[in-house]
Amino acid sequence: MTSFRIAVNELRRLTAGTLPKLAIVALVLVPLLYASFYLYANYDPYARLSKLPAAIVNADTGSGDRNVGHEVTGEVVKSGTFGWHETSADEAQQGVENGKYSFAITIPKDFSAALLSSGNFAPEQATIRLTTNDANNYLSHTIANQVAEQIRGTIAEKVGAEAANRFLIGFSTIYGKTQEAADGAAKLAGGAAQLQSGQQQLADGAARLAAGSSSLASGLNTLKTSTSSLPADTKKLADGAAQVSAGNAQVAAVGATLANGSTDLQNTLNNVNDQLAQRLRDSGLPEAQVQQVLSVLKDLRSPVDQANARVQSASAQLNQLASGASQVATGAATLAASAPQLTNGIAQASDGANSLSTGAAKLDDGQKTALTGSTDLANGASQLRDGLREGLNQIPNPNDPTRTATADTIADPVTVDNAGVASAGTYGAGLAPFFIALATWIGAFVLFLLLRPLSTRAIAAGISPLRVAIGGWLAAAALGVAQVLVLFGAVTWLVGIHVAHPWGAIGFAVLASFTFTAIVHALNAMFGAVGKFLGLVLLVLQLVSAGGTFPWQTLPDALYPLHVVLPMSYVVDGFRHLFYTGASLRSLADIGVLCAYLVAAIAVSALAARKQRVWTVSKLQPELNL
């Protein structure tokens, strides 16, 4: 008798009536009822959070023209994430206590004032009150904490963006004022450069003035020294000129007397000529002789006429000399009278020139100092201009879109780029690997409520223990395949859970069913009724150690070995890869572990079949019969 024949006989035994056939159908549907209904009920609970009643209380009195609490309340109610009800504080408190509301969020009266306090440099942290009641539902508390944190983050981002925007506007104001300062510094630098140039010219002029005034003082000192005896000398000159004038006047008087005498002589000679000519005419001399005599006489008078001309000329010159000497004497007297004033003026001019030279030297020194100062001013103004221009380039001056984007980034500097390798999509899809694995184990467990693990007839007939073991397992394996096929059809078609690699997932589910039925078969074959209890114990141990809900790393350390040893951990891991991504090396490891469990379980079943060849009293009359 082959193993297949043993399995077929066992299945015929179970289908030999209407009720057994219905029982087989019920066994096949057990995993479906367990997993599919649970996954259907928890397919996407987050999409139905709008059915969860929640209260929000806005007691904010606002600050100035802002009421952030009112803005937040409107946005929260409009979001529709929960069944929000805007109520009073007392109603919200009572509603949470009696279960009318799952939780309540209260915005206190000083909310806006606290949020906007940083702008007045009197920072105060704003508070949102979250009221929960675990008696309603513990997960409601967890969800409420997340909601409160999201509201807090949204408000912080909003207020932070406004504060950052005002901060950046302040930068723009600083930029504008610095721009004005830079322009003023540029003008200052230009004026300082012109001042330096003019100061240089002034300094050069002061140096020339100092040199010229020194030379002037030196010359005036020499002139003062040279003219110190001028009054006495001009006095002597005036006296001498007066004496010369008096002498010249006397000489001129003598010359005038001589000229008058010479004139008289000429007049006399002229009369003599006339008288002589008359007498000659009276004597009867012819006119020609008279003229001849007069001509001879004229020749004889020629030296006298010449002398008379010289005397007259000398007299005129003496008169001029006397007049000039008189003028010289008058001028010398005037000069002598003015000489003391002139020397005093020269002395005063010399003293003034000395003072001017001293002042010019001081002016030259002062201008040198002023030139140094104006040079430093020009250099400092240039540095100020360059520094302001350089600083101006470092002051942010964003335009409106850039400022808004920057403010938003400052308020929310970190964003999460979800680059998931795989995504389950919904809550139900995330739990599907665990509950399908669990349903597969339960399906394998309930099969042996009707199936006999080993064929007594085959054992009595002396069939090989391995054949007997495989034959007893094959019947359960066939029904297990039916279980997983029905389960997968319901989960994917009816519940709507998407499977990335359905054929691979079905094949892996069949392998998991083979392994689980083999393990439960081995327990029942080896331990009988106790094996059923051990199957339940393994179910419980695998429930807590498989890591089906929370990551297995969060388990207590004492449960780590169970996670590594028990097969459901590998079934859940394999399902996750096939549901979300695809086969990998870890999937091959999962398959290898299940195959090892399958072979080991069949080996244990074969050992149990071998042991049952020997009939014992405990076998004929067991202490516990289930």
Side-chain angles (χ1 to χ4, degrees), residues 11 76 88 190 213 216 252 270 288 303 321 351 358 397 420 457 486 505 562 601:
L11 291 175
V76 169
S88 65
S213 60
L216 177 61
N270 289 334
L321 178 62
D351 295 339
T358 303
N397 185 31
R457 179 182 176 184
V486 172
L562 294 178

Side-chain angles (χ1 to χ4, degrees), residues 408-502:
D408 292 340
T409 302
I410 293 175
D412 188 16
V414 179
T415 184
V416 177
D417 182 12
N418 194 341
V421 176
S423 174
T426 63
Y427 181 75
L431 292 179
F434 175 62
F435 281 99
I436 290 176
L438 188 60
T440 303
W441 180 275
I442 293 175
F445 179 82
V446 298
L447 288 176
F448 289 96
L449 295 178
L450 296 179
L451 292 175
R452 294 180 300 185
L454 298 174
S455 174
T456 305
R457 179 182 176 184
I459 293 174
I463 304 301
S464 167
L466 180 60
R467 288 183 181 179
V468 174
I470 293 175
W473 167 73
L474 280 177
L479 294 177
V481 170
Q483 286 177 336
V484 297
L485 292 177
V486 172
L487 175 61
F488 254 85
V491 167
T492 55
W493 294 338
L494 298 180
V495 178
I497 293 178
H498 174 72
V499 180
H501 299 275

Side-chain angles (χ1 to χ4, degrees), residues 214-232:
S214 178
S215 300
L216 177 61
S218 177
L220 287 175
N221 286 332
T222 303
L223 180 61
K224 177 182 177 181
T225 302
S226 300
T227 58
S228 60
S229 61
L230 182 62

